[in-house]
Amino acid sequence: MRTVKRLLALCFLLSLALGKTYLIPIQGEIDPALAVFVEQALTRAEREGASGVVLLIDTPGGRVDAAIRISDRILQTPLPTLAVVQNAFSAGALIALSCRQIAMLPGSEIGAALPVVALPLQQPQAADQKIISALKGKFRAVAEARGRPVELAEAMVDPQVEIPGLSAKGEPLTLSADKAVELKVADFKAGSLSEALRQAGYSLETERLEPGPRVQVARFLTSSTVAGLLLALGLLLLLLELFTPGFGVMGTLGLAFLALYFAGGWLAGLSGAFELVLFFLGVALLLAEAFLFPGFGIAGALGVGSILASVYFTFGENALMVIAIAVIALGLGLLLVFRFLPRTRPARALVLESTISEHATGDEVEVGAIGVALTDLRPGGVARFGNKRIDVVANRGFLPKGTTLRVVEVRGPTVVVEALEE
């Protein structure tokens, strides 16, 4: 029996020595596109008979859902896995702990995995206790699966777990290279990648796998800032296109920005037809609210909710950041339109201005009065009743300039009109 075990061990060591070692970089922010890349790289390594896989980890962290996805895939692979750590903070610590072996490079650290919520113009804050508890459970399960100290893994996530001499209460645990090895969180220190390969018994013949153009584009387009800006620019340009005749440059650019927004989610595996339909259903409901019904009611609320749901299903825990960036960018865009383009057709239509010098008020016109539209009503615009020029709102959809109108309702300053049928 001992002879059989020795032979099996010898065969394993020979396979490591003779086969090729695949290197997978885990660098920069951890996101869903990176998770797709790691899954594809591990599948390729398994298919091509790699002797082992080395994950080169140098990351400040990133999305928890993406890190969990990478962690699960590493735990599932039958190949030997080695994490060579330069910096493994936050979500990167979970990925490192998922490997069978961990090597710490000079000056490296691991830990600080407290989940945080970050919004534009605000300091990051600790996530809800439920999220912390769930992530702590994941760290605990991974540590148990790899035979690492469970309490230390939990302390990386939960600042309430105090480790005497290592971390004070209220601070997530972070370990230096020496401490990580001493406390058996990591297996050994190495001065370089080649030294780490030798100590772990991996083949020195390596092949580095890099993210392809598709993954690189997806990582760029799905970053919170870029996605939020694309969403804001797309909506802003489509809004401006509504106030120009026909369909021109602004509408085309708006659709192009929205196409890039959805392309990033599709390439990263975040969104599909459902999210796309949900988004444009929301846009359609907002248009219906704008052109078919005066005021803001059920259609408008459902439209906003549909768009927000589409963003949430696409970006998950990062949806709040994407929405916040989009709202800020859209607000700034409208401000610029009002401030610097006051005499353009879109700006005039948005603020219901016209070249008419004097306007009357709703108190100066009665129900049943007949007039003519001096501007397109979308649904708001300007009409003339006798020698009076009044801001009006069409009760049903778009009415072109020159349409004969009849006043159907006067609500304070709001004058509601309809097209006069011949």
Side-chain angles (χ1 to χ4, degrees), residues 100-173:
R100 295 186 185 182
Q101 297 183 78
I102 299 177
M104 304 294 290
L105 295 175
S108 60
E109 291 182 299
I110 183 172
L114 172 67
V116 298
V117 176
L119 291 176
L121 309 178
Q122 294 185 8
Q123 290 293 330
Q125 297 179 347
D128 183 85
Q129 188 59 41
K130 291 181 179 180
I131 298 176
I132 294 175
S133 179
L135 186 58
K136 183 171 71 171
K138 183 62 178 179
F139 268 71
R140 179 174 59 248
V142 170
E144 290 174 349
R146 293 307 191 196
R148 307 190 192 281
V150 171
E151 188 178 14
L152 296 181
E154 292 180 336
M156 292 180 181
V157 180
D158 191 349
Q160 300 305 313
V161 178
E162 184 178 357
I163 307 295
L166 293 177
S167 66
K169 191 172 183 179
E171 297 179 357
L173 177 65

Side-chain angles (χ1 to χ4, degrees), residues 263-296:
W266 178 74
L267 290 173
L270 293 174
S271 62
F274 174 72
E275 289 78 12
L276 183 66
V277 170
L278 200 59
F279 180 87
F280 282 104
L281 174 62
V283 172
L285 287 170
L286 288 178
L287 292 177
E289 183 71 30
F291 292 113
L292 300 180
F293 315 106
F296 188 87

Side-chain angles (χ1 to χ4, degrees), residues 54-365:
V54 175
L55 286 90
L56 308 175
I57 302 178
D58 186 7
T59 174
R63 288 182 53 163
V64 173
D65 55 350
I68 291 176
R69 185 172 166 183
I70 294 172
S71 170
D72 290 342
R73 186 62 181 86
I74 294 172
L75 292 171
Q76 292 167 3
T77 184
L79 297 176
T81 51
L82 167 67
V84 177
V85 175
Q86 183 60 60
N87 291 294
F89 297 117
S90 189
L94 179 63
I95 295 173
L97 292 173
S98 303
C99 295
R100 295 186 185 182
Q101 297 183 78
I102 299 177
M104 304 294 290
L105 295 175
S108 60
E109 291 182 299
I110 183 172
L114 172 67
V116 298
V117 176
L119 291 176
L121 309 178
Q122 294 185 8
Q123 290 293 330
Q125 297 179 347
D128 183 85
Q129 188 59 41
K130 291 181 179 180
I131 298 176
I132 294 175
S133 179
L135 186 58
K136 183 171 71 171
K138 183 62 178 179
F139 268 71
R140 179 174 59 248
V142 170
E144 290 174 349
R146 293 307 191 196
R148 307 190 192 281
V150 171
E151 188 178 14
L152 296 181
E154 292 180 336
M156 292 180 181
V157 180
D158 191 349
Q160 300 305 313
V161 178
E162 184 178 357
I163 307 295
L166 293 177
S167 66
K169 191 172 183 179
E171 297 179 357
L173 177 65
T174 302
L175 297 174
S176 65
D178 291 331
K179 278 295 182 183
V181 174
E182 177 187 339
L183 298 173
K184 302 188 183 304
V185 171
D187 296 279
F188 57 88
K189 287 177 59 180
S192 63
L193 172 60
S194 58
E195 183 182 335
L197 293 175
R198 281 193 293 268
Q199 289 195 56
Y202 279 52
S203 170
L204 296 181
E205 182 185 357
T206 62
E207 180 175 349
R208 186 184 178 101
L209 305 180
E210 295 286 357
R214 172 173 176 163
V215 173
Q216 292 176 354
V217 170
R219 296 192 72 182
F220 173 75
L221 293 178
T222 54
S223 68
S224 300
T225 301
V226 174
L229 290 176
L230 289 174
L231 181 59
L233 287 171
L235 291 175
L236 176 63
L237 290 171
L238 285 182
L239 178 63
L240 296 180
E241 180 63 35
L242 293 177
F243 299 97
T244 60
F247 191 85
V249 175
M250 285 186 291
T252 302
L253 288 175
L255 291 177
F257 282 125
L258 290 179
L260 287 174
Y261 166 80
F262 281 105
W266 178 74
L267 290 173
L270 293 174
S271 62
F274 174 72
E275 289 78 12
L276 183 66
V277 170
L278 200 59
F279 180 87
F280 282 104
L281 174 62
V283 172
L285 287 170
L286 288 178
L287 292 177
E289 183 71 30
F291 292 113
L292 300 180
F293 315 106
F296 188 87
I298 295 178
L302 290 176
V304 172
S306 183
I307 291 175
L308 294 180
S310 173
V311 177
Y312 174 76
F313 286 132
T314 299
F315 290 96
E317 65 189 49
N318 269 27
L320 191 58
M321 173 67 84
V322 173
I323 291 170
I325 292 173
V327 169
I328 292 173
L330 185 59
L332 290 175
L334 290 173
L335 180 63
L336 290 174
V337 169
F338 294 148
R339 176 67 180 84
F340 296 106
L341 303 174
R343 299 191 180 282
T344 63
R345 182 182 178 87
R348 288 200 308 271
L350 282 172
V351 296
L352 297 179
E353 292 181 350
S354 74
T355 56
I356 302 170
S357 58
E358 295 183 359
H359 279 62
T361 65
D363 296 333
E364 299 180 46
V365 68

Side-chain angles (χ1 to χ4, degrees), residues 356-408:
I356 302 170
S357 58
E358 295 183 359
H359 279 62
T361 65
D363 296 333
E364 299 180 46
V365 68
E366 297 179 350
V367 174
I370 306 299
V372 62
L374 296 177
T375 66
D376 293 337
L377 306 187
R378 298 175 177 269
V382 179
R384 183 179 64 225
F385 295 87
N387 60 354
K388 300 174 183 177
R389 295 163 175 82
I390 298 177
D391 289 333
V392 298
V393 177
N395 66 346
R396 293 180 184 175
F398 167 79
L399 294 178
K401 176 181 177 180
T403 301
T404 302
L405 307 172
R406 176 171 53 202
V407 177
V408 294

